[in-house]
Amino acid sequence: MGTFSTTIKEHYNNISYTDGGKTYSDVKIFKTNPATESIAAAIYQNGNKQMMENTNPSGINPSDVIAKTNGGAMEYGEHGDAFYGIAYQDGHLYISGYSTNSSDPVFDTLRINYYPSFCVKTDGTATIRWFSSRTSLQTALPYISTIIAASQPLVYTDKSVFEHTLFDQYDGGHQILNPADLNDTNYHYWDRYCNNTTNSKSNRTFLGHKPDGSFYMVCVCPARMSLPVGAKLMLDLGCDYAVNLDGSGGVKMRVASGYTNGFTSGQMTPGGTDWFGEVVCAYLK
């Protein structure tokens, strides 16, 4: 197990994490209160992007949004300039950045098998799904409050995908990752979605869920971390499910006044691109 420089509090933390003798400084962690707070996707569609400061989830009062990070990575060219994967919020479904519905024929032409969808259920629990058919998505949507499009799974059923042989529980029972080939198309994990940087050190944004109902929004910036180490970090936070969202220049966190534990509110990371297609927001329920 790795160690944290201090106990993680609710809301904003800026800590160091040590694993295998290596210390990663300036790790930004926002932890929600499971009784009063949750997360949702804020989405801009049809190739458009928006500044994080102006991005809020549909159906949620902007004044109730207390923290934000960048969402899933961007896909350039194939679907314009938009996040890839499946996202869902306030009854609206988006596939690779375009507003649609689960009956849209485009669903059958996408590489859905490799899109990890971080799903927050209506009962407050979370899971990771790979919706490999329209039917599986249609069946699940009534029980889901939000779907956040992710890049790679990190933690699945309380275990690192890099350290255990794991199989999805809902979408065909496929093995999640082939450790010998991270781009093996017979498995869910596709390293190309993070530019083949799984084992490289980069700035990262992670999202995780803890069994008590709390969520962790994590930005590793300016520290640089590989995804296997990121999975260990999320496990040490107690997550049962966790994903990698985006990395490199796209890493950014903002925290509202009153939720910073004494730090100055606003942008908490030193960099971060200005325009996003998907933003993860913590909000007051």
Side-chain angles (χ1 to χ4, degrees):
M1 290 183 63
T3 58
F4 298 100
S5 58
T6 187
T7 301
I8 306 300
K9 307 174 184 177
E10 281 185 356
H11 305 136
Y12 182 71
N13 302 262
N14 188 340
I15 57 92
S16 295
Y17 175 72
T18 300
D19 175 74
K22 167 68 176 177
T23 297
Y24 303 86
S25 302
D26 294 317
V27 177
K28 286 77 173 173
I29 299 175
F30 192 92
K31 179 180 183 294
T32 64
N33 181 324
T36 59
E37 299 159 7
S38 189
I39 62 166
I43 300 150
Y44 279 82
Q45 59 175 305
N46 301 335
N48 296 318
K49 296 190 290 184
Q50 182 58 266
M51 294 182 68
M52 184 177 287
E53 294 88 323
N54 302 325
T55 305
N56 294 290
S58 174
I60 294 172
N61 191 322
S63 65
D64 290 332
V65 175
I66 58 177
K68 302 177 182 180
T69 68
N70 54 295
M74 305 298 290
E75 183 172 48
Y76 300 96
E78 183 176 351
H79 300 289
D81 187 2
F83 66 89
Y84 53 47
I86 298 172
Y88 179 74
Q89 173 61 24
D90 194 32
H92 302 286
L93 180 69
Y94 305 84
I95 297 179
S96 287
Y98 287 82
S99 179
T100 184
N101 58 69
S102 58
S103 298
D104 194 324
V106 71
F107 190 90
D108 298 320
T109 68
L110 298 174
R111 297 184 294 264
I112 300 300
N113 186 54
Y114 316 123
Y115 293 129
S117 298
F118 187 91
C119 302
V120 182
K121 301 180 186 179
T122 54
D123 64 4
T125 61
T127 190
I128 300 171
R129 293 288 305 268
W130 291 268
F131 294 110
S132 55
S133 72
R134 268 188 261 179
T135 301
S136 65
L137 178 62
Q138 291 167 339
T139 301
L141 281 180
Y143 306 98
I144 293 175
S145 63
T146 194
I147 299 175
I148 295 164
S151 300
Q152 284 82 22
L154 300 177
V155 177
Y156 189 80
T157 59
D158 308 292
K159 298 178 178 66
S160 168
V161 301
F162 303 104
E163 297 180 357
H164 297 270
T165 300
L166 302 173
F167 300 84
D168 75 58
Q169 296 182 323
Y170 305 102
D171 303 294
H174 297 290
Q175 188 169 328
I176 291 174
L177 177 147
N178 177 1
D181 181 0
L182 297 180
N183 287 306
D184 189 329
T185 56
N186 295 308
Y187 297 75
H188 285 311
Y189 195 99
W190 217 29
D191 197 20
R192 292 177 188 173
Y193 280 167
C194 63
N195 296 318
N196 295 301
T197 63
T198 290
N199 293 307
S200 303
K201 292 181 179 180
S202 182
N203 296 337
R204 307 284 188 181
T205 301
F206 305 137
L207 175 64
H209 173 269
K210 195 172 178 178
D212 68 359
S214 56
F215 293 92
Y216 286 101
M217 304 158 67
V218 179
C219 285
V220 182
C221 180
R224 296 163 65 80
M225 182 179 290
S226 70
L227 293 187
V229 174
K232 292 180 181 180
L233 185 156
M234 301 308 283
L235 280 172
D236 288 334
L237 288 172
C239 293
D240 53 0
Y241 293 93
V243 292
N244 175 53
L245 293 174
D246 199 2
S248 189
V251 173
K252 189 172 182 178
M253 178 183 285
R254 293 184 62 84
V255 180
S257 177
Y259 300 91
T260 64
N261 286 322
F263 291 87
T264 302
S265 61
Q267 183 169 325
M268 314 308 276
T269 51
T273 53
D274 291 329
W275 302 87
F276 299 88
E278 183 191 45
V279 173
V280 180
C281 298
Y283 68 94
L284 302 174
K285 293 192 280 189

